[in-house]
């Protein structure tokens, strides 16, 4: 069983900062890409940022220059540092990861449970 456990969400004023964490645990051999997505009521889940196994990041235009994704492969953890937060950043943020397991090894896509981020005006 594989699990992605998120933490760090909460309530913050506009202009403030939050740092999200996501830890992968369970039976797997390695982790490929990891990322963060977000979703608000009435909208589809959208990409926020992704990071490759080698550490190459990719960001949605709406968060470029404000958010930073990083990972610690030794800890099986991905982070999302969110600065200069805006009310429109309010959403449920989901961790995503492709984890390899089995033999022959295959990649499986997993999602975290989601963590609420609320940014007040």
């Amino acid at each position: 069983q594989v699990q992605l456990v998120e933490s760090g969400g909460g309530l913050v004023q506009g202009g403030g900062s939050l740092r999200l964490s996501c830890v992968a645990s369970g039976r797997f051999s390695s982790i490929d890409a990891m990322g963060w997505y977000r979703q608000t009521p009435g909208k589809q889940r959208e990409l926020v940022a992704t990071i490759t196994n080698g550490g190459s990041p990719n960001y949605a235009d709406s968060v470029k220059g404000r958010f930073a994704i990083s990972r610690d492969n030794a800890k099986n953890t991905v982070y999302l540092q969110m600065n200069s937060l805006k009310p429109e950043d309010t959403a449920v943020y989901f961790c995503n990861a492709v984890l390899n397991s089995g033999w022959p090894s295959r990649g499986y896509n997993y999602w975290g449970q989601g963590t609420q981020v609320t940014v007040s005006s």
Side-chain angles (χ1 to χ4, degrees):
Q1 189 76 268
V2 175
Q3 189 175 24
L4 301 179
V5 180
E6 304 175 13
S7 62
L11 175 64
V12 66
Q13 289 185 314
S17 298
L18 285 173
R19 183 179 175 89
L20 306 183
S21 300
C22 173
V23 181
S25 62
R27 186 177 177 85
F28 57 87
S29 59
S30 62
I31 306 175
D32 194 11
M34 305 185 80
W36 293 93
Y37 295 71
R38 65 187 182 188
Q39 188 170 21
T40 56
K43 294 188 66 177
Q44 290 189 309
R45 193 169 298 181
E46 65 179 0
L47 182 147
V48 177
T50 60
I51 186 167
T52 67
N53 179 267
S56 180
N58 181 63
Y59 299 97
D61 288 341
S62 60
V63 306
K64 286 181 179 177
R66 300 188 298 119
F67 291 9
I69 188 170
S70 61
R71 65 190 291 168
D72 186 335
N73 289 336
K75 297 180 179 180
N76 297 324
T77 301
V78 62
Y79 306 94
L80 185 68
Q81 179 66 48
M82 303 184 294
N83 300 321
S84 301
L85 283 162
K86 305 174 181 179
E88 51 262 45
D89 295 318
T90 296
V92 177
Y93 284 70
F94 296 89
C95 178
N96 174 256
V98 177
L99 281 65
N100 301 305
S101 63
W103 187 264
S105 182
R106 291 175 54 194
Y108 298 87
N109 202 318
Y110 291 90
W111 292 92
Q113 78 285 356
T115 184
Q116 178 70 46
V117 172
T118 303
V119 184
S120 63
S121 300

